[in-house]
Amino acid sequence: MPASSSSNHGPHTFSEILSQPDIWRACFRRLNENSAIEEMRGKTAARKSWLFTGCGTSYYLAEAAAACWTLLTGQKARAVPSSEILLFPQLEHLSDPGLQAVVISRSGTTSEAIRAAEILGKKYKTSTLGITCSPQSELATTCQMTIAIPDADEKSMVMTRSFSSMLLTILLLAAETAGNKDIPVVLEGVAGGLASRIGTWNGKIEEFVAERSFEDYIYLAQGPFFPIAREGALKVTEMSHSYAQAYHTLEFRHGPKSIVAPQNCIAFLLSESGMTAESEVLVEMKQLGGTIIAICNRASETVRKASDLVLELESSSPEIGLLAPFVVPTQLLGYHTGLKKGFNPDEPKNLTRVVILD
Ligand code: F1P
């Protein structure tokens, strides 16, 4: 991997983004060696509906996990920010029999996540599963069960490989629950596909950022890709102190498109299921004068002509395997934008690695 000219700033964040294919493989190996997925499948086999929760990046991870869970298992699954379990538990049907709660936290110490796990387990007698990069954390001692993937932890404040690796871990558990034996092989292939493209993607994004300056960043996606769009918006905000927002792609027509202009970057995370409808929005926004990034598996000629930057994975994976690699370009966009604006992505402005409440 050629060291980018930017790798001497924010070194942790940059290397952690680029390490994702290898870290995914390391996590797969460790989970396979300790049979963590098979064991967890056995412990949760009786659960009939799933509630995923976390904060910040881990909340968007929870949203993506809930979508993947339903797609793979057919079971009901939903995601809420941990704060909602603290403040509005009556909205979340926490007494549902057969409910399995999954509390996601890289650090395992975020106060809202810990308190949510305590409320779920003690007050609502719900089964709690912790997903974390910190095996010795308070989350691990608070939840009844835990899957830890320490290989994916970061030195950087910003969550990048921890997000994608914990998502892939939950995908493996969903596949095991569904009796789907193909997904583990698919995800190994996705890691290989990303490894062969991540250097090219990094160069294209670095050049794209160097040639332009934006006032606002819009991320558009549908279905299980929408939480990835939300995470992408958070990355560019955290790493470059930029305004950013995410919408469902077709929702963007219903008012928000009024902000389309050359100085606003619009990143489309294109699904395969909704490609035709989503591509029509992309073409319309180009016609309105927007600057367009297309993140997709394979770009049609229409998408290629209407986009200012096209990033293709060209994978044979089913659509659900594309979520984790699709977050990588959004991480690189945030990183290079942060460098260009003079920030250090390893230590974002105003932020701390963990939010601990009194
Ligand atoms: C959750 C989180 C991160 C955010 C920042 C503050 O951390 O909100 O998503 O980027 O680091 O903490 P965690 O509960 O996953 O450790």
Side-chain angles (χ1 to χ4, degrees):
M1 170 69 59
S4 157
S5 58
S6 50
S7 59
N8 55 354
H9 296 286
H12 294 315
T13 305
F14 188 64
S15 62
E16 288 156 359
I17 292 171
L18 297 189
S19 73
Q20 286 177 100
D22 291 340
I23 291 298
W24 295 353
R25 291 175 177 131
C27 290
F28 298 157
R29 274 195 306 275
R30 184 188 290 265
L31 290 167
N32 199 37
E33 285 162 4
N34 61 28
S35 301
I37 298 297
E38 293 80 358
E39 283 182 22
M40 203 52 67
R41 161 70 179 119
K43 293 175 182 175
T44 59
R47 317 317 292 179
K48 296 304 176 206
S49 67
W50 292 66
L51 174 72
F52 296 85
T53 189
C55 304
T57 286
S58 295
Y59 167 47
Y60 300 142
L61 202 175
E63 287 191 321
C68 291
W69 197 272
T70 295
L71 286 172
L72 278 175
T73 71
Q75 291 179 332
K76 285 192 296 181
R78 64 192 193 275
V80 290
S82 297
S83 54
E84 286 293 278
I85 293 171
L86 275 54
L87 300 178
F88 290 94
Q90 66 274 28
L91 295 180
E92 302 306 337
H93 303 288
L94 301 179
S95 303
D96 279 0
L99 180 66
Q100 177 65 55
V102 182
V103 185
I104 302 166
S105 174
R106 167 184 67 174
S107 64
T109 59
T110 296
S111 299
E112 291 149 83
I114 300 298
R115 292 176 191 175
E118 288 169 344
I119 289 169
L120 288 160
K122 293 176 181 168
K123 180 174 181 184
Y124 292 93
K125 308 302 180 201
T126 303
S127 173
T128 51
L129 164 61
I131 305 287
T132 183
C133 296
S134 313
Q136 308 306 323
S137 61
E138 192 178 358
L139 183 72
T141 55
T142 304
C143 291
Q144 290 147 0
M145 308 171 283
T146 300
I147 298 178
I149 51 169
D151 300 302
D153 203 355
E154 290 107 352
K155 291 185 174 65
S156 176
M157 198 292 291
V158 177
M159 290 177 69
T160 51
R161 70 188 189 192
S162 58
F163 173 89
S164 57
S165 302
M166 288 193 283
L167 175 57
L168 291 170
T169 298
I170 295 169
L171 251 174
L172 287 172
L173 181 57
E176 182 72 17
T177 301
N180 181 326
K181 300 299 182 190
D182 297 334
I183 289 293
V185 176
V186 161
L187 297 184
E188 285 283 357
V190 166
L194 179 63
S196 65
R197 279 160 187 76
I198 196 166
T200 304
W201 284 2
N202 178 59
K204 283 183 166 185
I205 292 166
E206 186 171 15
E207 184 181 351
F208 177 84
V209 168
E211 293 169 350
R212 296 167 177 82
S213 290
F214 296 110
E215 293 175 5
D216 197 346
Y217 297 79
I218 298 115
Y219 295 76
L220 303 179
Q222 297 277 166
F225 296 90
F226 179 59
I228 309 301
R230 300 231 291 171
E231 170 61 8
L234 180 60
K235 286 300 91 128
V236 79
T237 294
E238 285 184 338
M239 289 196 253
S240 72
H241 199 54
S242 302
Y243 291 106
Q245 57 249 260
Y247 298 96
H248 286 89
T249 308
L250 274 63
E251 271 295 295
F252 192 55
R253 288 194 183 106
H254 298 274
K257 74 173 182 180
S258 65
I259 62 173
V260 174
Q263 68 273 23
N264 294 336
C265 179
I266 310 174
F268 286 79
L269 285 73
L270 295 169
S271 72
E272 307 222 296
S273 309
M275 176 65 78
T276 301
E278 295 164 35
S279 301
E280 288 168 1
V281 178
L282 186 151
V283 170
E284 287 174 37
M285 297 315 134
K286 184 61 187 173
Q287 290 165 347
L288 288 178
T291 302
I292 307 294
I293 297 177
I295 299 168
C296 57
N297 195 33
R298 289 182 180 80
S300 64
E301 269 320 296
T302 302
V303 166
R304 213 177 291 284
K305 283 177 187 165
S307 301
D308 299 280
L309 175 62
V310 179
L311 302 165
E312 297 173 277
L313 187 62
E314 297 180 283
S315 169
S316 59
S317 163
E319 191 167 51
I320 203 165
L322 305 178
L323 271 66
F326 276 21
V327 77
V328 175
T330 74
Q331 297 167 345
L332 289 168
L333 181 62
Y335 173 78
H336 288 296
T337 303
L339 291 190
K340 178 170 183 175
K341 293 175 72 174
F343 292 103
N344 174 5
D346 283 6
E347 297 164 10
K349 187 177 164 75
N350 300 333
L351 298 184
T352 56
R353 196 172 198 278
V354 185
V355 175
I356 303 294
L357 306 177
D358 296 335

